[in-house]
Amino acid sequence: MKRFGKLLLCLALSIGGVAAAGTPSTQAAGGVKIMLDGYPLPFPVEPAVMKGTTMVPFRAISEALGIQIEWNQAAQQIKATRKDASGTKVVTLTLGNSKAVVNGTAVNLAVAPQSIRGTTMIPLSFFSGQFGAAVSWNQASKTVSITSPKKDLYTLGFYAQGAYGEVSLIPSFSAIAFGWSQIDRSGRFTTSGEEFRWPQPAGEVTPESIVQNAAGGGTTPYLMVYSVDGKLELTKNLEDKQLQEETITSIIDTATQKGFKGIALDLEGLGLSGDKAKVQADYNAFVRNLSGKAKALGLKLTVILHPLNSSYKGYDYRTLASLADDLVIMAYAYEDESGPEPIDKVDEGIRLALKQVSRDKLILGISVYSENEASVNSKIGLAKRYGLKGIAIWRLGLIGTPAWNEMGKSVEL
């Protein structure tokens, strides 16, 4: 992956207003909204305006940007540490002191840090300037917009039929899941289905050469296995132990023989009806069997799942995370996919997953069939805000130059 770029320049914020009665130097920033990557950032205490400077809760914004913080009660000091490719930055602030210390050097503050109802408040413009977030102010809507610094996340790209036009993007991803196999309507594994099938060679370019070139360029190739339980084909496989064993053997054989380094399991539609607990137990058993055989051969395993706030309840996130290397939350198709996914639903899907799985095992699935250049970075921003392992893009062939260029402003590609 490319190294981190230079930190974004900070735009100074100065929000004036009439002081509140009884507090001549301070007023609540009534109606002021703080947006991080296009989505509201919740605060334990409302932003306040002091001497024309917007003050915000230090801990809330630090954690949202993935910055480590420490509080020294005796010294009344708060320390923020951020590490990235350019090095380590340590910022120390003391309540009531108008000087901060940045990597050992004193820096003047427009307003000294204050404690409001037990929350340390600092100048937003200072914070963003020190940690690379770009900040802007919209007077008409009373909105502070923060753009988080570019981050080097794990990136998984899905490559299905019709993606050849964007094959040149493969080296930009950490991994690629090639959708060239499926479990068919009879419940059997195949590479010759109608949609998810092994491609035909195009001259000297073969599917095998694409996989080999990906691996040679540092992008881990995964064999994606797709199916949906539309005709109960997955249910049939999960309940027929002999058929399941044949399926898993075929998946492992195909992955190893074709040069893949991992398996991406995308079995959708489980648990829409029926006994949800039984479906979860059956799927856990399938993944446990596959995981054991894959790991014995050095193959990684990614499991792709409906979000927990979807209609499909056949997925036990906690157990599946213990069996797989990571999980992809398919946080899309909440509506009709005719426009950007509702970001509050995506946010909820992440938060529900985090109750069961550690953040370093979660990958946020983003569909560029739904998203566009104006919305995609808000979804990426959520992955950054929650400190997830990375993002998974459905899919190559749909991205387009405008969305790709915007993605490059948020994540290293």
Side-chain angles (χ1 to χ4, degrees):
M1 302 296 288
K2 297 179 181 177
R3 291 178 62 82
F4 274 63
K6 294 182 179 179
L7 294 177
L8 298 172
L9 292 178
C10 169
L11 298 177
L13 278 179
S14 178
I15 306 175
V18 179
T23 53
S25 62
T26 305
Q27 68 174 86
V32 172
K33 294 182 293 184
I34 306 266
M35 309 289 285
L36 175 59
D37 295 320
Y39 190 57
L41 182 63
F43 286 110
V45 174
E46 285 189 5
V49 176
M50 299 180 179
K51 299 179 182 178
T53 297
T54 301
M55 306 289 285
V56 294
F58 190 42
R59 181 179 294 272
I61 193 170
S62 297
E63 292 178 344
L65 291 173
I67 296 166
Q68 179 183 350
I69 60 173
E70 301 173 44
W71 168 249
N72 185 324
Q73 177 66 31
Q76 295 288 284
Q77 286 182 340
I78 193 162
K79 182 171 76 172
T81 304
R82 182 180 179 88
K83 296 180 180 179
D84 59 27
S86 64
T88 300
K89 176 168 281 191
V90 179
V91 176
T92 303
L93 302 106
T94 304
L95 290 183
N97 191 331
S98 60
K99 289 187 181 294
V101 178
V102 180
N103 284 355
T105 301
V107 177
N108 291 326
L109 299 171
V111 177
Q114 307 287 322
S115 179
I116 297 179
R117 296 199 297 278
T119 296
T120 300
M121 308 287 281
I122 69 159
L124 175 59
S125 55
F126 168 80
F127 182 92
S128 59
Q130 293 301 326
F131 291 104
V135 180
S136 62
W137 164 248
N138 186 305
Q139 177 65 36
S141 63
K142 292 188 177 181
T143 301
V144 176
S145 295
I146 307 171
T147 301
S148 62
K150 197 172 184 179
K151 191 171 183 180
D152 193 4
L153 292 177
Y154 174 85
T155 52
L156 170 66
F158 291 102
Y159 184 111
Q161 301 298 322
Y164 187 75
E166 293 180 350
V167 68
S168 63
L169 302 182
I170 288 177
S172 299
F173 287 88
S174 308
I176 292 288
F178 294 89
W180 297 341
S181 69
Q182 66 177 359
I183 294 175
D184 64 17
R185 289 298 173 87
S186 68
R188 297 183 180 279
F189 175 82
T190 181
T191 57
S192 59
E194 294 181 1
E195 184 177 4
F196 292 84
R197 64 182 184 277
W198 201 260
Q200 294 297 313
E204 296 182 355
V205 178
T206 66
E208 291 83 358
S209 70
I210 294 174
V211 170
Q212 291 169 4
N213 290 339
T219 298
T220 305
Y222 281 70
L223 172 68
M224 190 179 96
V225 183
Y226 171 81
S227 189
V228 63
D229 202 34
K231 299 293 183 181
L232 300 183
E233 52 265 55
L234 291 182
T235 298
K236 178 179 181 180
N237 196 294
L238 297 180
E239 294 179 348
D240 185 331
K241 298 304 180 184
Q242 181 177 346
L243 178 58
Q244 181 182 138
E245 196 64 34
E246 292 173 1
T247 297
I248 290 174
T249 298
S250 296
I251 292 172
I252 295 291
D253 288 348
T254 301
T256 53
Q257 292 168 14
K258 297 296 187 179
F260 292 99
K261 305 300 181 184
I263 297 163
L265 196 64
D266 183 14
L267 305 187
E268 302 179 19
L270 294 173
L272 183 61
S273 59
D275 186 339
K276 311 294 194 302
K278 181 180 184 302
V279 173
Q280 288 187 8
D282 288 346
Y283 191 50
N284 287 345
F286 181 100
V287 175
R288 184 175 289 108
N289 190 354
L290 176 62
S291 175
K293 291 180 169 60
K295 290 180 179 179
L297 294 172
L299 293 170
K300 292 184 177 295
L301 177 62
T302 292
V303 179
I304 303 157
L305 303 172
H306 292 288
L308 288 167
N309 56 349
S310 76
S311 300
Y312 302 98
K313 306 302 181 183
Y315 305 94
D316 173 5
Y317 268 57
R318 193 183 306 278
T319 300
L320 294 172
S322 72
L323 300 171
D325 291 284
D326 43 45
L327 307 180
V328 174
I329 310 169
M330 292 191 298
Y332 42 86
Y334 284 107
E335 297 176 344
D336 60 5
E337 298 184 87
S338 61
E341 297 295 329
I343 196 165
D344 58 332
K345 298 295 290 184
V346 177
D347 183 34
E348 180 185 50
I350 294 171
R351 288 186 283 105
L352 289 171
L354 284 169
K355 291 180 179 179
Q356 300 187 32
V357 182
S358 63
R359 64 188 71 244
D360 61 320
K361 276 203 166 188
L362 290 174
I363 300 169
L364 179 63
I366 300 171
S367 171
V368 290
Y369 181 78
S370 301
E371 308 300 333
N372 54 48
E373 64 271 21
S375 67
V376 67
N377 281 347
S378 292
K379 305 308 190 299
I380 294 175
L382 285 179
K384 293 159 67 175
R385 182 184 301 199
Y386 287 107
L388 305 187
K389 176 177 179 176
I391 58 171
I393 301 298
W394 177 265
R395 64 173 171 78
L396 272 71
L398 299 175
I399 300 174
T401 300
W404 181 255
N405 289 341
E406 288 302 310
M407 288 166 57
K409 298 176 182 178
S410 182
V411 64
E412 296 287 340
L413 295 170

